[in-house]
Amino acid sequence: MRRLAGLLVVPLLLLSTAACGDDSSDSAQMKNGVPAITKGAKFDETPTLSKGKGEPPKELKVVTISEGNGPALKKGDIAQVNYLGQVWDGKEPFDQSFGKGKPFDVTIGAGAVIKGWDQGLEGQKVGSRVELVIPPALGYGEQGSGDKIKPNATLVFVVDIVKGTSVPASATGKEVAQDNKDLPKVGTNTDGKEVSVAVPKDVAAPSKLVSNYVLEGDGAAVKDTDSVVVKFNGKTWKDDKTFESTYTSDTTVTWPMAQLSVKGLKDGLIGKKVGSRILLVIPPDQGFGDKEQGTIPANSTLVFSLDILAVM
């Protein structure tokens, strides 16, 4: 099925129509083997990129425009970045987050973005501005993407690393008794591995939303303006089958609360503490209702074990 993260949130990024600067001089076109930034060269300024000159590099090329003094990003960290993207032989960006008022969240090494981003940003320090030249094999390949990124396009990105957040492998809060026999039982392991969820047999699903602590953390309460970083195991009550688990792939998902489209998820998360593991039981009218979603049948009661690892 289409991954749940894609079902729950509305895309944030819009195509930009910003224009590039003058690319008439050779010196303006290239610097350190990459297209030069002709305007807005400083961190946090909206950059303008020259058109690339000659044949683009065949391998990933990373140039540090200015180095920050924050920690280096490692696999699993959540980075908040601003970026501008342009094709090598283009004169204007195909996409950017500069000027949108909200950085873009990316989990380093999770495979949620093109490979050139995962490889190029790992090891870079928070507060840095870097320029990435990404060959097709680490970008959108032979397929391209939309009208502005043609097949086999080399991509150029200017990326400002605004913030980095280290994410724990698991919730680690205080264990809370699970004494209601009519509700699913959730595992309490804190090793980052799969968390078990056992739905009771021959028991009717609750008709109202259930949001209970399994492990109660001591972090800040989730607000409806937060972006929350989670791991989860999602099941359907009727057949006790997992439709998606991020534990198995050891990845996290970042959900902007304001854009969660499943009411039960949003209501069940708000007010819960960071560092916690919760049991969520979401009735159909607060889930996907009478619409089938991939392997999730219509009118399904959803069951989640969900670790609240961080907020952005």
Side-chain angles (χ1 to χ4, degrees):
M1 64 174 288
R2 183 183 174 190
R3 291 189 65 80
L4 189 65
L7 296 171
L8 300 179
V9 297
V10 179
L12 294 174
L13 302 179
L14 300 174
L15 289 178
S16 169
T17 57
C20 270
D22 180 15
D23 66 324
S24 59
S25 68
D26 288 353
S27 61
Q29 283 187 324
M30 302 294 289
K31 185 175 182 180
N32 297 321
V34 299
I37 299 173
T38 57
K39 293 180 182 178
K42 295 180 180 180
F43 185 90
D44 207 32
E45 293 181 343
T46 301
T48 298
L49 267 178
S50 292
K51 180 180 178 180
K53 180 183 178 183
E55 287 296 315
K58 301 299 183 184
E59 306 291 335
L60 175 67
K61 187 175 181 65
V62 182
V63 174
T64 300
I65 306 300
S66 61
E67 186 173 62
N69 56 13
L73 295 174
K74 61 185 185 301
K75 185 177 180 180
D77 285 354
I78 307 289
Q80 290 186 306
V81 305
N82 279 317
Y83 69 91
L84 177 142
Q86 191 166 302
V87 295
W88 176 267
D89 55 356
K91 294 184 178 181
E92 64 179 34
F94 56 78
D95 196 5
Q96 67 173 313
S97 66
F98 286 100
K100 302 285 179 64
K102 182 176 175 60
F104 177 67
D105 296 340
V106 56
T107 303
I108 304 300
V113 291
I114 56 175
K115 291 179 180 179
W117 266 49
D118 272 341
Q119 295 179 20
L121 293 179
E122 186 174 356
Q124 301 299 322
K125 293 181 179 180
V126 174
S128 297
R129 167 170 284 194
V130 297
E131 187 168 344
L132 310 176
V133 179
I134 301 175
L138 300 179
Y140 293 102
E142 296 178 354
Q143 291 75 36
S145 179
D147 295 332
K148 295 198 174 185
I149 303 178
K150 302 300 183 184
N152 296 311
T154 294
L155 310 177
V156 184
F157 286 92
V158 177
V159 182
D160 284 0
I161 305 170
V162 178
K163 184 179 179 181
T165 301
S166 292
V167 179
S170 170
T172 55
K174 181 180 178 181
E175 189 170 337
V176 177
Q178 301 180 70
D179 49 14
N180 188 336
K181 296 180 180 179
D182 293 334
L183 290 178
K185 296 297 183 290
V186 175
T188 57
N189 57 297
T190 59
D191 55 4
K193 296 181 180 179
E194 182 68 274
V195 174
S196 63
V197 180
V199 178
K201 299 183 182 300
D202 303 320
V203 175
S207 60
K208 295 183 178 181
L209 176 69
V210 174
S211 177
N212 294 343
Y213 283 116
V214 176
L215 302 173
E216 185 174 358
D218 57 5
V222 174
K223 304 186 297 294
D224 60 3
T225 54
D226 288 333
S227 289
V228 61
V229 182
V230 303
K231 285 184 176 179
F232 67 86
N233 183 357
K235 286 188 167 186
T236 47
W237 181 288
K238 185 176 181 179
D239 57 12
D240 194 19
K241 287 185 178 179
T242 295
F243 55 82
E244 186 174 349
S245 174
T246 64
Y247 295 108
T248 56
S249 57
D250 192 26
T251 57
T252 61
V253 176
T254 302
W255 289 332
M257 293 296 294
Q259 299 183 31
L260 273 178
S261 61
V262 174
K263 185 178 186 299
L265 265 180
K266 185 172 183 177
D267 291 350
L269 280 166
I270 290 175
K272 290 296 189 284
K273 299 174 187 175
V274 175
S276 299
R277 176 172 299 158
I278 61 175
L279 164 69
L280 285 179
V281 182
I282 303 175
D285 64 341
Q286 296 186 56
F288 294 119
D290 60 0
K291 293 181 172 55
E292 178 182 312
Q293 293 285 354
T295 60
I296 303 174
N299 298 307
S300 288
T301 295
L302 309 177
V303 180
F304 286 89
S305 164
L306 194 149
D307 283 9
I308 307 170
L309 301 176
V311 292
M312 306 293 287

